[in-house]
Amino acid sequence: MRLGTCYYPEHWPQDMWADDARRMVEAGLSRVRIGEFAWSRIEPEPARFEWEWLDQAIEVLHAAGLGIILGTPTATPPKWLCDKMPDMFAVDADGKVRGFGSRRHYCFSHLGYREEAARITRALAGRYGEHPAIIMWQTDNEYGCHDTVHSFSDSARDAFRLWLADRYGTVEALNEAWGNVFWSMEYRSFEEIDLPNLTVTEANPSHWLAFRRFSSDQVVSFDKAQADILRELSPGRDVMHNAMGFYPDFDHHDLGKQLDVVMWDSYPLGFLEMYAFSEADRHDYVRQGHPDIAAFHHDLYRGCGKNGRWGVIEQQPGPVNWARNNPAPLPGMVRLWTLEAMAHGAELVSYFRWRQAPFAQEQMHAGLLRPDGEAAPGLKEAQQVAPEVERLGDIGAPVKDAALVFSYPSEWVTATQPQGEGLSALWAAFYTYTALRKQGLNVDIVAPSASLDGYAMAVLPCAPIVSGELAERLKAFRGQIIIGPRSGSKTDDLTIPPELAPGKLQWVFDGKVTRSESLRAGIEHQGEGWAGRRWLDHLETDADAELVAGDGTVACWKQGNVRYCATWPEGDVIDVIVARAAEDAGLETVKMPEGLRIRKSGEFAFVFNYRNEARAVPDALCGEPMIGERILPAAGLAVFARG
Amino acid sequence: MRLGTCYYPEHWPQDMWADDARRMVEAGLSRVRIGEFAWSRIEPEPARFEWEWLDQAIEVLHAAGLGIILGTPTATPPKWLCDKMPDMFAVDADGKVRGFGSRRHYCFSHLGYREEAARITRALAGRYGEHPAIIMWQTDNEYGCHDTVHSFSDSARDAFRLWLADRYGTVEALNEAWGNVFWSMEYRSFEEIDLPNLTVTEANPSHWLAFRRFSSDQVVSFDKAQADILRELSPGRDVMHNAMGFYPDFDHHDLGKQLDVVMWDSYPLGFLEMYAFSEADRHDYVRQGHPDIAAFHHDLYRGCGKNGRWGVIEQQPGPVNWARNNPAPLPGMVRLWTLEAMAHGAELVSYFRWRQAPFAQEQMHAGLLRPDGEAAPGLKEAQQVAPEVERLGDIGAPVKDAALVFSYPSEWVTATQPQGEGLSALWAAFYTYTALRKQGLNVDIVAPSASLDGYAMAVLPCAPIVSGELAERLKAFRGQIIIGPRSGSKTDDLTIPPELAPGKLQWVFDGKVTRSESLRAGIEHQGEGWAGRRWLDHLETDADAELVAGDGTVACWKQGNVRYCATWPEGDVIDVIVARAAEDAGLETVKMPEGLRIRKSGEFAFVFNYRNEARAVPDALCGEPMIGERILPAAGLAVFARG
Amino acid sequence: MRLGTCYYPEHWPQDMWADDARRMVEAGLSRVRIGEFAWSRIEPEPARFEWEWLDQAIEVLHAAGLGIILGTPTATPPKWLCDKMPDMFAVDADGKVRGFGSRRHYCFSHLGYREEAARITRALAGRYGEHPAIIMWQTDNEYGCHDTVHSFSDSARDAFRLWLADRYGTVEALNEAWGNVFWSMEYRSFEEIDLPNLTVTEANPSHWLAFRRFSSDQVVSFDKAQADILRELSPGRDVMHNAMGFYPDFDHHDLGKQLDVVMWDSYPLGFLEMYAFSEADRHDYVRQGHPDIAAFHHDLYRGCGKNGRWGVIEQQPGPVNWARNNPAPLPGMVRLWTLEAMAHGAELVSYFRWRQAPFAQEQMHAGLLRPDGEAAPGLKEAQQVAPEVERLGDIGAPVKDAALVFSYPSEWVTATQPQGEGLSALWAAFYTYTALRKQGLNVDIVAPSASLDGYAMAVLPCAPIVSGELAERLKAFRGQIIIGPRSGSKTDDLTIPPELAPGKLQWVFDGKVTRSESLRAGIEHQGEGWAGRRWLDHLETDADAELVAGDGTVACWKQGNVRYCATWPEGDVIDVIVARAAEDAGLETVKMPEGLRIRKSGEFAFVFNYRNEARAVPDALCGEPMIGERILPAAGLAVFARG
Ligand SMILES: [Zn+2]
Ligand SMILES: [Zn+2]
Ligand SMILES: [Zn+2]
């Protein structure tokens, strides 16, 4: 694994560049990402390019021995370009134009902007595509950030109509597929179809799902145009994009297919503050982040790429600026995050950013250096971890325990039709992932199309849309299977299948969901050591009722190697189900103490302590670690050699 | 009382219709409502009508012996119609157009749409008006659903100006009535007057009240146009509209005057979740609904019709889809709700809907049948209750205990000018209704113009606007009177009357409110077994201070047969006041255990158990019940013959 | 000090005026403010003036012996004027036009409205400027009320561009100052610059700060146009404006420079309910207001005027209408508030309003009279306090203990870039003020440019932008200094200074903030009797760590006469720091019991009891009071002569 950093030469005087490059290398970094917001410096006026500074920056970094990841600057078109075509902006669901003044101010469906994006990509790749310093390209930056996947512009509407015509062939087929007879929503032509926003009450969920699919496809095709140019003009270099955390608005499996490497931007403290964590977790992990935030995304994005190549292109090095509250990481966390990425198989961890900028939107975002150029705490940890990374070398292939199947359209279904407060397929996946990790298991988060070979368990936490092909493979799967609520409950167009839920999964599990209900927080169906909460699927089935609450509610049914979790897969109930399934699967589990996590590769077992206090390594891991001690300090870790 | 269901033949293959009709009749249903959203199937292109399917559906249902309630489809104009006149949409208070894609996407004030609505009504009534199967018409569907009464369109503005000219005659009179001298808001002509939205801070409350009155009138006149056509072309049939729960945006007393029957749509679990109930109630009654939700609306809408004719045209049969959380009713609740409607005098209970649709917005809304055509739990309860309804037959006239006076403009006053957080005349009525019912009393919720003859008590929970005529009748009333806070505090134009509150009610109660204050949650003036909360009226009066808190605050004044409740009529304090007044009125009260309710008609006393556990019938009801046992199971009920 | 009231003769029949005036004088009032919303009565049609009624009103009030404060009516342009230039309205940050129908419906940048405002001011001043009854003018009313300082109109955009050109000279200088290279936000001309709203994510904070500065300047120049006319046409009269509470959107120090007197509108109960007070404070002080609300603003606005002349032009006399909840003041509070204003040096306390209006937006706002003309409780307290005010006469100069430095741009920085939830420089000032007052100290809240001579302490609770000039004066200051977090952390353009925080304050305190973090509620670094919360500045310094938490976190550093508070200055921690600094400063402190406050002038010491129960005066004040007793009743007060 390599270490790197994100650098903005255009933010600093040219005479600082060489020293910066030297200090990077001295710190153990060998990769540097540049360029991804620099359009106004590259092309300050229409068609007038200023290459000299970038030529020079690349030379200086190259000369220092750094491999360069060059970004296309399409996330930040300059003002003059926007003024040329003011309809290029995205429009929000309320109809407000999302204008210039920050970033990501373009609509993915605007044909004019697509031409401009291709033009600047071609210009960059033409100039630097074969430069020996350039080892990788990043397309754009964080597609979807600031809720930019869904645009309600006229461009989006026009493109959506074409997309619908392509998908459904005839408007009659669309009316039928969506059930538009309901509420007289039938269309006579594709030209009559608008975007699903600004309706009186909610639009047809089929309409929304189609719009979500379309919007995802627009991101993927926008990206593909750049990837194609880069491959043409920069042969042999990798193409990468930087994904975000807890961000499901486009299908990363689709995107990953056209990339060489999938990377992501890891900000565990910001995510803890901004996403749906409990107050207790936000308190206990305030300077560490919940112990599954980073790992979940490592295991998710590893499954999104073509060959499992992935990395962290932006790693939080200190406090950020964009969360409601922005604490500093506990001393040791930057090192811990780095080695945890390694344990999950990253090929790169790159710290964002090299030096804190004293100006503009991110001036309160820490870097490895302070704004005055002195070392910030993050740099010291990077320097500490670099030789450890080197020493560990090749960690071997990941151990395969459980495959957790997640699909983006699943989340689109629950986002469109939650049916109960806060219910989300993505979060069902996260909670189930936590339950698996609390048993000390390795998890691969895989696409529905991915092979299940070699796993002892397959888990579908909440998969409303399931293909026949997946159902077939599950049927053939000899390990333990867990099927979560709502799975198989919807067709591709978000209608109820004729056979009812779990739809095609009835090939795997002989039962039928005859009624579902969602429950407000505080309503609990208590079993022994667990409770059914938030959701109940009622089943007609000959399966065994494995978990039955005191009031007779069944939370889990079992039939052969299949368990059906009939309540929301969260907290104690999914812990119990996962533990039973793991035992049946013959997996060696390790009950992890609160806040500890383990990750096993071919060569090593890594243990990470996310608590703000010392913790002992569980006895199941015997012997003395090669890195660290058996008593892990707060934010500490240990690495054991595996037999 | 009859049972029925809501059916959408256009959603199902024609070859299923006959079997559906047969199963309805077998289940004990004799009424079916159809047609109310079918415009796009009736008129798929401008002026091209397709009647065959509807002819056939009516024949099939009729042949099975079902009486048909036919709806006009004006809540869902098709896309082609909207495209013809895109200014027909309502506009929300923020100025956003509320477009096509769901339902109720029209502005009540748009003249073009009014013509279209008359045209389709005339077409339907022309074809089926004298068909022997048609026994009743429903106009449109749920006026006001999704907050559609108040439209801020240009059409609404123009109509509002005419309405104002009609009401006030001259703009000088309007300026005077509204006090427009305040903040230089004076107008020189009606053409200068805009709608009250989008002002810098709140508009004149008189302006808002006028707009609320106008908006209500627009609903009523929109409805009247349809009712007139239906009466002309379908002689002898009843005209009905389906009202909603906790919905005060138009005056249902005005609407009821032009209808033959007022019906409503009863979804107790959804209402519990979505309206202002306490967390404790939401927990305890999660699968039953608060015990007064259904009854309150039964007693309210019974008072809205011309002759007390009313019914439940949509009865929740299982989980719904539209609340934040959507639990299933406790087994027994569908039967309980049905017999409770009967106890309150309904002429029909119709379950919504026959079969759950597998597509579109309401796919997660249960029906009597599952989407696969099998019986859902609701059907079994309908089948159980049908013979019970038959056996009870004519239950006799309701016993008259208390008249609770409620007027829609009262709620418009408190909605416009709450003066304290969450204070609402509608909810004051609901809380007071609960207090009356906890004493085992029958309640009629009556319009201010309704006769008070035969009642032992008259209660005005919060009636800011009171006519001299009502004050006269109250003065002559010999039973016990309770006047709640803010009553009589406003003129018809929402100004303070010269004599101060309680205004004309000073004819009834000799006292003057000299100061009012609202109190945040948690501020309590403790008496013995009660507390003054949320509101305090301070009075100058010679009446007796009947309830005095430890700190000297007077919560209730008494003078002859009149009590003035000077704090918000909610919880323990209104319990105490109601109990005292009932005793003074010589009414036989029954202290109901938590969650039990009683309803008395000429022949029977019904007892309902809303708790999720068994409860004994109070001793005050002696003997053995003719239906049920003296120990009521959860969601159980008993019917006693009355001497 | 004088007493007065706010009167609207145009709201009442002319034959009531003389009696009203007589009753004012009888109650001890000698000042009356009129006219500030009367434009539609003065000029009912374009250019047709009706002066007769106002001539008459002025005569009647003058004849009764009242001095008149006349307001310009520019906060309420009439409808006809708005219709002439519909682009005169302000636009909110969402792009919605803020139209006619309430008040303050104009954009400060609209040139046409500026002309109209000058025209009506000239008309009024021309007619009454030299009238002997007129002793003072009020410009407009409550600039900024209802969030009206920030307008996003085209007029504002155009004016902003000119303002930027004036401030920065060249667009290159602006790009450099704002760091627009970040995210390619560089402009090629001032014409390319838009307002900072409606961006995809937040705009550049430098852009926002510039817009906030500009918006404040627009208010000040709008006001100056009126002040200039009034000075020209009404020589010898004072010009005043009425400021609000907790309102920082324009720079009151800038405004105050061009006024003769700064007055403010004091509504302690409404402010308690609407601003960021704890639930406990809202409960305990529900009918009194937090004990520092009024005093804080007295001490703030005294520091805004040219010569310390200030007053309360609107004093809450009973319940108001505009807060979420609107309780009545505890008996005694109107008197207490009046004498407290006196204790802080007011020249006027004027009650708002004389008689409660029975109509329009403020009909639920109490006056000294009820709507029926009878005395409301407030009048009785005004009558009680008038002779007390008279008896105390000249109270002497305020004692100088501590200077609390507050600048409006500081608040603009924290509002633009809070970095942690709810962090605000204004509230840091308020909390620190409370800590000072709990030690019994007198506080002057001063502008950064104000002299620090004569003070024993100087406190900067949170001053991100600090001038070199202030740093020089602090360096020379021999008293105790407290510097709060984030102080000196920003340049004038909201970037990080090269030397890092505390920037120029490093001349005063030798230390450097190397990292800052914000903490969510509930995260505490416990010391002995205090905790660090919400914010932590980490410092490199040779100063002594004076307050160190159990976990090693330093909350306060000390170096000579300077303390650096490294955590948020709120609650126990700032109490401890202030107490230590006061001791080091040799100030005589009095630990005030909860809810008691003291204020010392040359002649007297005033003690106020804000609790809802009796409290003894602290022993530190010896002897018997000349007003009141040593045991203060709820809402009571005592005045002691000072040696
Ligand atoms: Zn989105
Ligand atoms: Zn409404
Ligand atoms: Zn503002």
Side-chain angles (χ1 to χ4, degrees), chain A residues 532-545:
Chain A
R533 300 181 187 92
R534 300 180 79 184
W535 186 274
L536 292 176
D537 277 340
H538 298 258
L539 273 78
E540 278 177 5
T541 180
D542 293 328
D544 299 325

Side-chain angles (χ1 to χ4, degrees), chain A residues 96-156:
Chain A
K96 289 205 297 277
V97 171
R98 307 186 72 186
F100 183 86
S102 59
R103 63 178 184 174
R104 300 213 57 72
H105 40 280
Y106 68 85
C107 174
F108 282 101
S109 297
H110 191 272
L111 299 178
Y113 187 63
R114 286 189 168 228
E115 281 174 33
E116 291 288 322
R119 188 180 59 79
I120 192 74
T121 300
R122 191 167 287 278
L124 260 176
R127 189 165 189 94
Y128 303 112
E130 312 219 29
H131 192 293
I134 306 298
I135 59 160
M136 189 181 286
W137 290 88
Q138 177 182 296
T139 52
D140 202 280
N141 178 74
E142 294 183 345
Y143 291 134
C145 195
H146 322 304
D147 194 16
T148 49
V149 163
H150 301 121
S151 170
F152 300 87
S153 67
D154 289 354
S155 306

Side-chain angles (χ1 to χ4, degrees), chain B residues 246 277 281 285 290-296 299 404 426-443 445 459 461 569-572 574-576 578-579 590-598:
Chain B
F246 296 108
F277 291 93
D281 280 347
Y285 295 108
H290 183 284
D292 294 311
I293 290 177
F296 175 82
D299 291 340
L404 187 158
L426 176 66
W427 284 87
F430 185 84
Y431 300 138
T432 304
Y433 178 87
T434 290
L436 290 160
R437 297 253 297 160
K438 283 164 77 178
Q439 300 297 328
L441 300 178
N442 267 23
V443 185
I445 302 176
V459 186
E570 183 180 349
D572 46 29
I574 189 66
D575 285 349
V576 170
V578 159
V590 185
K591 309 279 171 222
M592 302 305 293
E594 170 79 31
L596 254 59
R597 290 292 185 269
I598 189 171

Side-chain angles (χ1 to χ4, degrees), chain A residues 184 186 188 490 496 517-518, chain B residues 37 40-41 45 326 328 363:
Chain A
S184 279
E186 291 167 303
R188 298 180 304 153
K490 299 293 167 186
I496 296 176
E517 50 179 330
S518 55
Chain B
F37 296 127
S40 75
R41 284 293 162 101
E45 314 257 354
N326 296 289
Q363 60 184 264

Side-chain angles (χ1 to χ4, degrees), chain C residues 27 49 179 246 270 285 365 430 450 461 465 500 558:
Chain C
F49 289 91
F246 296 108
Y285 294 108
H365 191 304
F430 185 83
I465 297 176
L500 303 188
K558 180 169 193 309

Side-chain angles (χ1 to χ4, degrees), chain A residues 6 8 33 267 314-315 317 350-354 362 365-367:
Chain A
C6 302
Y8 298 88
R33 185 191 68 177
Y267 296 95
E314 299 186 10
Q315 172 62 57
S350 162
Y351 304 99
F352 182 88
R353 49 194 284 154
W354 174 244
E362 291 180 355
H365 192 303

Side-chain angles (χ1 to χ4, degrees), chain C residues 497-513:
Chain C
E499 69 275 25
L500 303 188
K504 297 206 178 69
L505 291 172
Q506 292 177 23
W507 307 352
V508 182
F509 174 83
D510 184 22
K512 194 182 281 287
V513 178

